[in-house]
Amino acid sequence: MADYSLETSWRPVEGSFGRLTFTLHNLSAEPLSGFSLAYTSETRVADKHVCDGASLKRQVAHFHEFLPSEQLTVPPGGRWRFTVEGLSREPKHVTAGVKSAYLTLADGRHLPVDFGDLMLEGRDGGVSPPLLPPGKADEPYALLPWPLALGLKAGDLPATLYPAERTRPDAIEALSQVLSLYQRLYPVEDAPFSLRAVEGGRRIRFVAESSIAAFAYELRFTAHEIVLSSADEAGRRYGLISLAQLLHGARADGERFKFPNFGTIADQPRYDWRGCHLDVSRQFYPVADILRLIDILAWNKLNIFHWHLTDDEAWRLEIKAYPALTEIGARRGPDEVLVPQLGDGAETRAGHYTQDDIRRIVAHAASLGVEVVPEIDIPGHSTATLLSLPELADGQEAPDSYRAVQGYPNNALNPAVEFTYEFLGKVFDEIVALFPSEYLHIGGDEVAEGAWLSSPLCQALMKREKLAGTAELQSYFLKRIKAMLSERGRKLAGWNEVSHGGGIDPDGTLLMAWEKPAVGIELAQQGYDVVMTPGQAYYLDMAQAEAWAEPGAAWAGYSPPEHSYTYEAEGELPEALQEKMRGIQACIWTENFISRAYFNRLVFPRLPAVAEAAWTPSGRKDWDRFAAIVRMWPML
């Protein structure tokens, strides 16, 4: 426990976004004076604000530093209270408050401060509803995602499943990989497979069947064996995962779930892009966590891991040509170039992935049929990049001439600085050597309105190329980036704003529609391949209910698990454009994930819900069945 504790509350105020009250308690045995209080919070103080009892010394995006009056001394057991009115948005949930706090003393020391969730005053916060019903499975089989077709009769529970005699080595290797996956996810449970015949077990016979569609599989259960037919490695793996799931459910909840003795399963995915995105810039996740998340994706038959490696808050990928990117850009702290953000306190927090880490993660994902798509977020969201390599900026551009929606000033790579392209070329060279994915995601989102317009170099570029405004400058930049990726044998993926200002050539371009569902239809009409990832349904950082006590973000409303499950991403997409719809993706943005408990509360069961929406035809989905099964599924 720290010697200091900070309590925060919010009260609605007519005509504004309300008033924050901060109360710092001195729990130490010494009086406190000559200090400043720093904290991080997504509820930012606006430029125009009124502060009673303190003054704002410094603010950088979510980082705030307040000063008391010079003569203030807080005695042992005493407190300092101040209020702020004039906020960037109205807080909606407990997680909209302080995410970290510390004191800086006159001698430069930084002392930790305990803190809690944001308290609500002057209004009823509502009641959090249950996020899952008890669930009911009319067909007693634990399968997620639910298969395309199924006709089964339950029977006795086998001791284990094992390969038939003379099974090919590649099939035994596939069975061994799924066995290892299960043992990592459920380390204390009995193994579903054995590599040798076991008395009381059931044998699996593997059949290569060229008439079966890619990624599909068929399972036939008879009195003596299980026949697993597929045309490719992926289909075989999905069939083995389904067998492991069936056995797991029958063992874990034998009253509700059974193992089939007779019948068939015919299954294949609805979409070919079934993705999950993870932001590791706001919060860093060690290699072990990344490997486990990929295991969870494979268990849920998701096949894309979209890895958001850079943002304003940090650059997480080792680039040997530019070591400063991680030496500076992967470190945040009171005495670092990057100030604390979103959970950083008195101690420096640092973390990045070495290229050996990347190779290990990519290989692990590939062994499970998961493609790793890296994202380097450009031209916006580049504060960490620009502070690591200041030569990327136009030195004549006025500081704080524009701000991103998150509050970062001048945070976009300048399209008129030629070093920008030299830098990105070397970065891309190293990325394509590490990631075999056909796509490289370049972000392209949330460039601030008015970005670059005070840059003399951009003014000259606009005149020379006959460009008007920020969006056309971005289009110019992204066209050059697409050409650079094409030269390296890669396709460009990006967020939906890539289409702005004239966009880029849709051929070979994949865009993710995140702002609202209708955007995906507009992109398809423009000729882009589309992945649907609307914040209103598939952003797993959104709160799951309207109640104040629910953790999460609020900009896209709230999204209970049932909504993520039942939502139909295709919407009103005309049949003529169906081929442009590549699939769907869940996104895990980590501003609110300052604990493992919050991560699991927000991501599960919504991630398996999106996985079933990506795999299972709409007419085969059943919310009550899903709720009965998903309780047994693994979390991080």
Side-chain angles (χ1 to χ4, degrees):
M1 189 177 86
D3 286 337
Y4 309 95
S5 178
L6 180 65
E7 293 182 331
T8 56
S9 62
W10 177 82
R11 176 180 289 274
V13 174
E14 189 79 25
S16 79
F17 287 144
R19 180 187 303 119
L20 290 172
T21 299
F22 298 84
T23 307
L24 177 71
H25 298 270
N26 182 3
L27 307 177
S28 77
E30 301 293 331
L32 177 64
S33 62
F35 67 94
S36 67
L37 168 68
Y39 70 86
T40 65
S41 174
E42 279 197 287
T43 301
R44 302 192 310 276
V45 174
D47 288 343
K48 293 183 178 180
H49 65 273
V50 176
C51 186
D52 184 12
S55 59
L56 182 60
K57 176 186 177 183
R58 183 169 56 136
Q59 179 183 2
V60 181
H62 310 295
F63 171 85
H64 302 74
E65 187 174 13
F66 279 91
L67 290 172
S69 60
E70 286 185 19
Q71 62 270 31
L72 179 78
T73 296
V74 185
R79 66 189 186 187
W80 166 48
R81 176 172 291 176
F82 65 96
T83 63
V84 179
E85 189 172 338
L87 308 174
S88 62
R89 66 174 67 173
E90 179 180 314
K92 301 284 189 181
H93 300 282
V94 292
T95 44
V98 169
K99 289 183 166 50
S100 61
Y102 65 90
L103 301 178
T104 299
L105 304 186
D107 61 8
R109 286 183 296 148
H110 307 293
L111 303 181
V113 173
D114 288 338
F115 61 96
D117 282 333
L118 184 63
M119 295 180 285
L120 176 64
E121 295 181 352
R123 195 174 76 190
D124 181 9
V127 178
S128 293
L131 298 178
L132 277 176
K136 180 184 176 185
D138 291 333
E139 296 185 78
Y141 306 107
L143 286 169
L144 286 183
W146 194 250
L148 177 65
L150 166 151
L152 299 172
K153 181 179 179 182
D156 296 331
L157 185 64
T160 190
L161 309 177
Y162 60 86
E165 289 186 17
R166 295 186 293 278
T167 294
R168 290 166 50 100
D170 60 337
I172 292 177
E173 173 65 21
L175 185 144
S176 177
Q177 286 178 339
V178 176
L179 171 59
S180 295
L181 169 66
Y182 182 88
Q183 290 173 321
R184 291 192 299 271
L185 293 174
Y186 298 101
V188 301
E189 304 297 332
D190 291 339
F193 304 132
S194 172
L195 300 184
R196 60 176 180 83
V198 174
E199 186 176 349
R202 205 120 161 245
R203 69 175 179 258
I204 306 171
R205 184 157 57 89
F206 294 86
V207 175
E209 180 55 71
S210 60
S211 63
I212 293 177
F215 311 113
Y217 67 91
E218 294 178 1
L219 288 167
R220 182 162 55 89
F221 298 84
T222 70
H224 304 294
E225 67 178 4
I226 301 165
V227 180
L228 169 52
S229 302
S230 62
D232 55 25
E233 181 182 354
R236 179 174 61 193
R237 183 186 305 107
Y238 294 140
L240 286 168
I241 289 172
S242 289
L243 288 173
Q245 291 180 354
L246 286 164
L247 200 51
H248 176 74
R251 287 171 173 172
D253 187 355
E255 291 293 314
R256 202 185 306 207
F257 299 105
K258 308 297 179 185
F259 193 84
N261 264 16
F262 297 98
T264 59
I265 296 173
D267 200 10
Q268 68 183 66
R270 179 180 184 182
Y271 296 119
D272 65 352
W273 186 289
R274 304 179 306 283
C276 175
H277 153 290
L278 177 67
D279 159 28
V280 297
S281 180
R282 279 59 178 247
Q283 311 295 337
F284 179 74
Y285 294 86
V287 170
D289 285 354
I290 302 298
L291 295 175
R292 181 169 175 84
L293 179 61
I294 289 169
D295 282 347
I296 291 169
L297 303 190
W299 181 252
N300 286 282
K301 300 190 176 85
L302 293 164
N303 66 340
I304 300 290
F305 175 49
H306 172 178
W307 202 0
H308 187 86
L309 288 159
T310 75
D311 213 297
D312 288 306
E313 288 79 6
W315 180 290
R316 301 296 191 188
L317 169 63
E318 178 190 20
I319 298 295
K320 293 184 183 297
Y322 299 105
L325 289 170
T326 47
E327 290 171 355
I328 295 173
R331 301 174 62 84
R332 299 194 300 256
D335 300 313
E336 303 293 338
V337 175
L338 272 69
V339 300
Q341 297 288 350
L342 300 172
D344 306 324
E347 301 292 330
T348 292
R349 284 209 301 177
H352 73 275
Y353 305 97
T354 68
Q355 295 199 357
D356 283 344
D357 292 336
I358 299 291
R359 293 185 188 96
R360 178 184 173 195
I361 289 165
V362 168
H364 179 79
S367 74
L368 295 169
V370 176
E371 179 180 340
V372 182
V373 177
E375 179 183 353
I376 304 299
D377 201 349
I378 55 174
H381 288 282
S382 293
T383 296
T385 310
L386 290 161
L387 291 179
S388 301
L389 298 171
E391 59 268 39
L392 284 166
D394 177 357
Q396 304 172 83
E397 187 176 23
D400 208 359
S401 58
Y402 62 89
R403 287 190 199 175
V405 65
Q406 290 83 7
Y408 287 96
N410 291 25
N411 73 329
L413 296 180
N414 193 310
V417 173
E418 200 56 33
F419 179 54
T420 296
Y421 305 99
E422 177 188 336
F423 159 71
L424 290 173
K426 291 180 179 179
V427 169
F428 293 155
D429 286 340
E430 296 192 31
I431 289 177
V432 299
L434 293 168
F435 296 93
S437 168
E438 67 174 324
Y439 287 101
L440 200 162
H441 199 295
I442 53 76
D445 62 312
E446 293 188 324
V447 172
E449 184 63 34
W452 307 308
L453 300 186
S454 67
S455 162
L457 290 175
C458 276
Q459 288 292 334
L461 174 64
M462 292 166 70
K463 185 176 181 180
R464 185 171 69 249
E465 297 291 332
K466 297 181 174 57
L467 304 173
T470 297
E472 290 190 15
L473 276 169
Q474 174 170 292
S475 175
Y476 166 87
F477 170 82
L478 291 175
K479 285 172 182 174
R480 289 187 64 172
I481 297 305
K482 181 174 172 69
M484 291 169 67
L485 293 180
S486 296
E487 291 168 3
R488 291 161 175 82
R490 294 294 188 270
K491 296 177 181 178
L492 185 148
W495 302 107
N496 53 245
E497 295 98 319
V498 168
S499 65
H500 293 180
I504 61 175
D505 184 357
D507 186 37
T509 299
L510 177 73
L511 298 188
M512 296 182 175
W514 69 273
E515 288 183 283
K516 55 185 177 180
V519 169
I521 297 175
E522 295 168 8
L523 293 174
Q525 289 170 337
Q526 294 170 35
Y528 294 103
D529 285 348
V530 179
V531 169
M532 296 292 280
T533 180
Q536 295 78 5
Y538 295 158
Y539 269 34
L540 306 188
D541 60 320
M542 291 296 118
Q544 297 177 85
E546 192 172 12
W548 180 267
E550 282 295 320
W555 68 262
Y558 60 94
S559 180
E562 184 175 7
H563 177 61
S564 297
Y565 180 80
T566 58
Y567 180 77
E568 278 297 302
E570 289 188 11
E572 305 300 318
L573 191 67
E575 188 173 343
L577 298 176
Q578 293 287 336
E579 64 177 17
K580 293 296 182 183
M581 172 74 172
R582 292 286 305 279
I584 66 177
Q585 178 171 289
C587 285
I588 304 172
W589 298 100
T590 58
E591 288 93 336
N592 286 287
F593 293 5
I594 60 172
S595 72
R596 181 63 56 91
Y598 273 152
F599 186 101
N600 282 330
R601 171 69 182 269
L602 285 157
V603 171
F604 303 101
R606 289 190 292 184
L607 180 59
V610 177
E612 184 152 311
W615 181 281
T616 306
S618 59
R620 297 282 290 164
K621 292 193 291 185
D622 183 311
W623 169 243
D624 280 328
R625 180 191 62 225
F626 172 86
I629 297 169
V630 78
R631 301 170 190 278
M632 300 181 289
W633 255 225
M635 295 188 289
L636 196 65

